[in-house]
Amino acid sequence: MFKNYNMNQIVLPLELEVKLQNNDIAFHVHHLVESIPQEAFEPFLRNEGCPAYHPRMMLKIILCAYTQSVFSGRKIEALLKDSIRMMWLAQGYEPSYRTINRFRVQSEVKDLIRQCFIQFRCQLVEEKLIDQEAIFIDGTKIEANANKFTFVWKKSIEKYHESLIEKSNQLYNELLENEIIPEIERESDEQLSVEELAQMVQKVDDIVSEYDKEIDASSDVTERKILRSERKYPKQVRKQLIDFVLRKQKYLRDLEIFGTRNSYSKTDFDATFMRMKDDYMQNGQLKAGYNVQIATEGQYALAYNLFSNPTDTRTLIPFLDEIEQHYFELPKHIVADAGYGSEQNYNDILSNRKREALITYNTYLKEQKKKYKQNEFNPDNWQYNEDNDTYICPNQQHVVFKYHSVRTDKAGFTREFKIYESEDCSGCPFRSLCTKAKEGNNRKLMVNEKWEQQKEYVRAKLSEEKTSAIYRKRKIDVEPVFGFLKANLRFTRFSVRGKSKVENEMGLALMAVNLRKFTAIN
């Protein structure tokens, strides 16, 4: 006996909502987007043309598709015809893949995604899933949607640009000596600008035109031959100058794109070439990518930002500014790994933001080892006389204070050092073990007192029971989010180009991770 099955019988359509399970992820997507205030959708209002799809509906279907590891616009369009949860969220509408792709890269969508993170965090606080005691910060690199072999390197461009400056100046002086062109007013004696090179092209072109007229006007074969011979050099110079103008424009455009970076991709100018963890060939191959920074608590991503520089040290301060301006007030403890430990970052958190920095520095673990503590040639283990402001080296020589030194790095941050120098290192039996200074030079020490105080602060905080317990949570809080993103959600490469578009896609992917985790525990 079989259950009744008749394809010729009309079945009344049911409300799609009843087909979904009680804890379906579509309900969580729906409630999250509905919690966003109406004011956030006002920038999408248009008074002209055909009425647009409601941005609430568009955001819901894209978020839901991302939770199912579907990132392609065409596949999202297909889901709207196949998936019950997608059909329910769209309420029968079927926007095309072009509409979906246009919507998710709009600049206004970035504010909607931020609202999603704000509302989601409020929900976590309300259900007491996070305690707002600390945030855990870390970064990962995700490959950009760019060709692997379209890299442009800053050092190469600077080298070629310097060569071009030298050649153009040389050519300009040569033209002046040969009295081919008159002297032009230059903005700088060091290099010719694009406009000045263009003036030179125009002046040489006028000379070539005069030769052309004289050749056309002459009927004497010998004279015409002489004129052509004289015209040859100006024509070669004109061709060379046009090449200089084009190259100058290209190099200046490249240097503007670089900014503070060392490389960029021709297919995505905002992407920088970085070393990825998935280096299958083990040859250190670089790939165009973005440095994604996230702040988590309870294994939920609460805020995010993207950077074009590959190192984490320079990203912490702008990321904290982004959190305070657009997401939430910073909690008491800021937790991160040694990649963020720098004098500038400690100074910003402790002095400017009045928060506690549970961030190790690059030698923290090394200092805990017995070998480090028992190394008598390590200046940290030398005896220090506070009254005389001197150190005692292993040869019992005094290392005395000499002068202050101030150094400024590329980012403009200033560090103050105290320089100490040994009284006499000549004839020291430990010289080869103690210093690499040339014979005749004494051992010198550079001591940054502020940095030493900050390191002592970190050691003290990580030795306390409460703060050390918070720091130990870092690995089990922020690292799993990247694992969920790359392994579970299978989001390992961006599908759009340009930083503003990539930021939107990253926000959608991280919120999809949050919703999947939230659905799993409810």
Side-chain angles (χ1 to χ4, degrees):
M1 185 175 181
F2 299 104
K3 292 183 179 180
N4 183 41
Y5 175 71
N6 188 349
M7 292 291 291
N8 297 319
Q9 184 176 349
I10 297 176
V11 178
L12 294 175
L14 294 174
E15 174 62 38
L16 291 174
E17 184 177 354
V18 302
K19 287 282 189 180
L20 300 175
Q21 296 181 5
N22 293 333
N23 192 38
D24 194 276
I25 198 168
F27 293 123
H28 296 289
V29 172
H30 168 70
H31 293 315
L32 175 64
V33 178
E34 288 296 326
S35 66
I36 299 175
Q38 181 60 34
E39 295 79 19
F41 297 93
E42 290 179 357
F44 293 88
L45 289 173
R46 300 289 185 271
N47 297 322
E48 300 175 353
C50 178
Y53 291 111
H54 201 292
R56 284 192 195 271
M57 184 270 287
M58 295 297 295
L59 184 58
K60 286 177 186 178
I61 62 173
I62 294 173
L63 260 180
C64 187
Y66 271 66
T67 62
Q68 308 306 306
S69 301
V70 177
F71 314 118
S72 162
R74 290 180 184 271
K75 291 182 179 179
I76 295 174
E77 180 186 13
L79 279 182
L80 289 167
K81 298 177 175 65
D82 299 336
S83 170
I84 294 177
R85 59 168 64 98
M86 292 287 282
M87 288 190 284
W88 174 67
L89 288 172
Q91 287 295 294
Y93 289 113
E94 295 180 359
S96 69
Y97 71 92
R98 291 190 180 91
T99 304
I100 293 168
N101 289 339
R102 280 197 299 264
F103 177 82
R104 64 176 169 177
V105 298
Q106 289 184 50
S107 57
E108 295 87 353
V109 173
K110 185 174 182 179
D111 292 327
L112 284 186
I113 296 171
R114 283 176 180 160
Q115 284 294 327
C116 284
F117 279 90
I118 293 169
Q119 297 300 326
F120 186 76
R121 182 176 179 274
C122 292
Q123 189 174 349
L124 295 176
V125 172
E126 185 179 343
E127 299 192 17
K128 298 181 179 179
L129 293 174
I130 59 175
D131 53 19
Q132 307 180 75
E133 187 179 27
I135 56 168
F136 303 87
I137 294 175
D138 203 357
T140 189
K141 298 177 183 67
I142 296 183
E143 188 178 350
N145 181 17
N147 192 301
K148 296 182 180 69
F149 307 106
T150 57
F151 37 77
V152 183
W153 301 106
K154 190 173 186 177
K155 286 186 178 180
S156 298
I157 296 299
E158 288 175 341
K159 175 184 173 183
Y160 296 142
H161 189 215
E162 289 173 3
S163 175
L164 176 64
I165 292 171
E166 184 180 347
K167 289 179 180 178
S168 59
N169 287 337
Q170 184 178 352
L171 181 60
Y172 173 71
N173 294 329
E174 185 179 323
L175 293 174
L176 286 180
E177 290 176 4
N178 296 333
E179 297 182 352
I180 294 178
I181 63 171
E183 187 174 354
I184 60 176
E185 295 183 6
R186 297 177 59 176
E187 297 178 2
S188 171
D189 295 333
E190 296 180 359
Q191 59 176 302
L192 291 158
S193 66
V194 175
E195 292 76 14
E196 291 164 353
L197 287 171
Q199 287 180 34
M200 291 173 63
V201 171
Q202 184 61 45
K203 293 180 184 300
V204 174
D205 189 57
D206 292 341
I207 294 171
V208 173
S209 298
E210 290 178 7
Y211 274 112
D212 290 340
K213 292 177 182 177
E214 291 179 13
I215 292 170
D216 292 339
S218 175
S219 58
D220 187 359
V221 175
T222 305
E223 184 182 1
R224 286 166 63 91
K225 188 175 182 181
I226 294 171
L227 289 172
R228 286 196 190 96
S229 177
E230 292 175 354
R231 186 186 62 176
K232 185 176 181 181
Y233 178 69
K235 285 184 71 174
Q236 290 176 343
V237 169
R238 180 179 63 179
K239 183 178 179 181
Q240 192 173 6
L241 284 171
I242 291 172
D243 178 58
F244 285 173
V245 171
L246 296 175
R247 285 169 58 192
K248 183 83 173 180
Q249 291 174 336
K250 177 185 179 302
Y251 296 154
L252 291 176
R253 185 179 69 252
D254 288 340
L255 291 171
E256 184 180 355
I257 293 171
F258 283 125
T260 58
R261 297 180 293 160
N262 293 321
S263 64
Y264 78 85
S265 170
K266 292 180 183 177
T267 45
D268 185 353
F269 291 167
D270 295 327
T272 307
F273 280 83
M274 310 174 180
R275 296 191 187 280
M276 303 290 179
K277 287 185 178 179
D278 53 340
D279 185 12
Y280 304 115
M281 301 294 291
Q282 298 296 313
N283 58 0
Q285 184 184 11
L286 301 176
K287 293 181 181 179
Y290 291 91
N291 187 356
V292 181
Q293 298 290 313
I294 65 170
T296 70
E297 188 179 359
Q299 297 183 357
Y300 293 102
L302 305 180
Y304 76 100
N305 203 354
L306 269 79
F307 297 89
S308 297
N309 51 307
T311 55
D312 292 335
T313 311
R314 300 293 183 194
T315 64
L316 182 62
I317 295 175
F319 184 37
L320 293 178
D321 291 337
E322 174 80 6
I323 293 173
E324 287 189 314
Q325 291 173 14
H326 298 111
Y327 291 96
F328 53 86
E329 184 181 351
L330 292 174
K332 183 179 179 181
H333 301 100
I334 310 295
V335 188
D337 62 17
Y340 300 86
S342 70
E343 182 181 342
Q344 186 176 8
N345 289 341
Y346 288 137
N347 184 65
D348 180 76
I349 295 173
L350 300 175
S351 303
N352 299 340
R353 305 183 196 272
K354 309 298 181 185
R355 300 294 192 274
E356 291 188 2
L358 302 184
I359 304 173
T360 55
Y361 46 91
N362 56 356
T363 59
Y364 176 78
L365 293 177
K366 185 179 179 181
E367 290 176 2
Q368 313 304 315
K369 296 182 179 180
K370 185 177 179 181
K371 182 180 178 181
Y372 184 92
K373 294 179 180 179
Q374 293 182 349
N375 183 5
E376 60 180 357
F377 300 106
N378 184 352
D380 290 343
N381 299 326
W382 289 2
Q383 182 183 346
Y384 175 68
N385 189 332
E386 190 172 349
D387 296 333
N388 300 329
D389 193 15
T390 59
Y391 289 87
I392 307 297
C393 76
N395 196 31
Q396 301 306 308
Q397 293 287 328
H398 288 276
V399 183
V400 298
F401 169 73
K402 289 293 184 179
Y403 57 91
H404 289 278
S405 175
V406 177
R407 297 192 176 187
T408 304
D409 60 17
K410 293 180 180 179
F413 185 72
T414 302
R415 294 176 174 82
E416 297 179 357
F417 295 90
K418 292 179 71 175
I419 309 300
Y420 294 81
E421 184 175 345
S422 177
E423 292 177 331
D424 186 13
C425 288
S426 59
C428 177
F430 308 119
R431 181 181 179 87
S432 61
L433 300 172
C434 184
T435 180
K436 294 181 180 179
K438 293 181 180 179
E439 194 67 36
N441 295 334
N442 295 325
R443 171 69 188 267
K444 288 185 178 181
L445 293 182
M446 292 181 63
V447 179
N448 185 339
E449 290 185 335
K450 189 173 184 180
W451 173 240
E452 296 300 326
Q453 292 170 3
Q454 291 172 344
K455 292 199 294 184
E456 183 58 36
Y457 163 85
V458 171
R459 288 192 291 265
K461 281 295 177 184
L462 296 184
S463 63
E464 295 176 9
E465 184 178 351
K466 181 181 178 181
T467 49
S468 63
I470 294 174
Y471 180 77
R472 286 196 299 270
K473 290 181 182 177
R474 189 194 67 80
K475 287 185 179 180
I476 62 172
D477 197 290
V478 66
E479 298 289 355
V481 177
F482 292 133
F484 297 152
L485 177 71
K486 295 181 178 181
N488 295 356
L489 202 67
R490 299 192 296 279
F491 187 89
T492 57
R493 191 173 188 266
F494 292 109
S495 59
V496 292
R497 296 176 178 177
K499 188 176 179 182
S500 61
K501 298 177 182 179
V502 167
E503 284 178 341
N504 287 358
E505 185 170 37
M506 190 73 253
L508 292 168
L510 288 172
M511 185 48 63
V513 171
N514 288 343
L515 288 167
R516 284 181 62 157
K517 179 176 174 59
F518 186 78
T519 303
I521 66 172
N522 281 290

